[in-house]
Amino acid sequence: MIHEAVPADRRRRLLVEHRTVDGVSVVSVHGEIDHDVKDQLRTALLVQDDAAPALIVAELSGVTFMDSGGINVLVAAHVRRRAAGGLLCIAGARPRVRFVLEVAGLDTVIPCHPGVEQALAAHPRSARVRRAQRAAVEWAPHAQRHSGVFRQ
């Protein structure tokens, strides 16, 4: 069996793009997730808790391969988001990547959705919802002082 060395400039690359949709961070990942690029994925998903939105969607539709390094990063990101009171979910995993998630049992721990739209619909934690909840909490003590009808 002959193993060919892969030149450094031809190594698999990982492209990560961030965007915000209704206050939700969507991290789109393209390429192959393996031991060589797991730190890049970790950096993209493990944002500072005080700056992180309640929901982070890891869009994996552009991922063609994922090994245990990727699984470990997703587990760490999930644990950290939960500890901060947030949620990580996965969207758009291709069949090959979805199989890896299922074999590892990650699909039973981290919510998986066919696409970003379905993830956003299933987890309505948009900025608008959070602002409304925060406003209701801030308004409640004021209303309680001025009205015998309102109760928390």
Side-chain angles (χ1 to χ4, degrees), residues 126-140:
S126 68
R128 185 175 59 246
V129 171
R130 287 193 314 276
R131 276 195 304 269
Q133 290 170 339
R134 199 170 27 247
V137 169
E138 291 170 0
W139 182 77

Side-chain angles (χ1 to χ4, degrees), residues 86-104:
L87 181 66
L88 170 75
C89 67
I90 297 170
R94 293 180 177 191
R96 188 173 182 180
V97 173
R98 179 71 186 211
F99 177 75
V100 171
L101 296 171
E102 290 170 358
V103 167

Side-chain angles (χ1 to χ4, degrees), residues 104-119:
L106 207 56
D107 64 324
T108 63
V109 177
I110 300 175
C112 295
H113 304 280
V116 173
E117 294 78 19
Q118 292 88 348

Side-chain angles (χ1 to χ4, degrees), residues 11-133:
R11 285 191 185 137
R12 287 171 253 149
R13 301 204 187 275
L14 188 69
L15 175 64
V16 178
E17 299 171 303
H18 294 268
R19 70 181 191 272
T20 303
V21 179
D22 287 335
V24 174
S25 178
V26 178
V27 179
S28 297
V29 184
H30 305 275
E32 297 182 355
I33 303 172
D34 61 13
H35 179 73
D36 293 335
V37 298
K38 69 178 187 211
D39 291 335
Q40 186 179 350
L41 180 62
R42 179 179 290 118
T43 301
L45 293 177
L46 295 180
V47 294
Q48 295 298 324
D49 292 330
D50 55 347
L55 175 62
I56 296 176
V57 177
E59 180 188 13
L60 304 182
S61 62
V63 176
T64 56
F65 172 83
M66 183 168 59
D67 68 6
S68 62
I71 295 294
N72 290 335
V73 171
L74 290 172
V75 168
H78 167 73
V79 168
R80 186 155 177 189
R81 290 300 323 127
R82 294 295 285 195
L87 181 66
L88 170 75
C89 67
I90 297 170
R94 293 180 177 191
R96 188 173 182 180
V97 173
R98 179 71 186 211
F99 177 75
V100 171
L101 296 171
E102 290 170 358
V103 167
L106 207 56
D107 64 324
T108 63
V109 177
I110 300 175
C112 295
H113 304 280
V116 173
E117 294 78 19
Q118 292 88 348
L120 295 174
H123 306 284
R125 296 180 128 178
S126 68
R128 185 175 59 246
V129 171
R130 287 193 314 276
R131 276 195 304 269
Q133 290 170 339

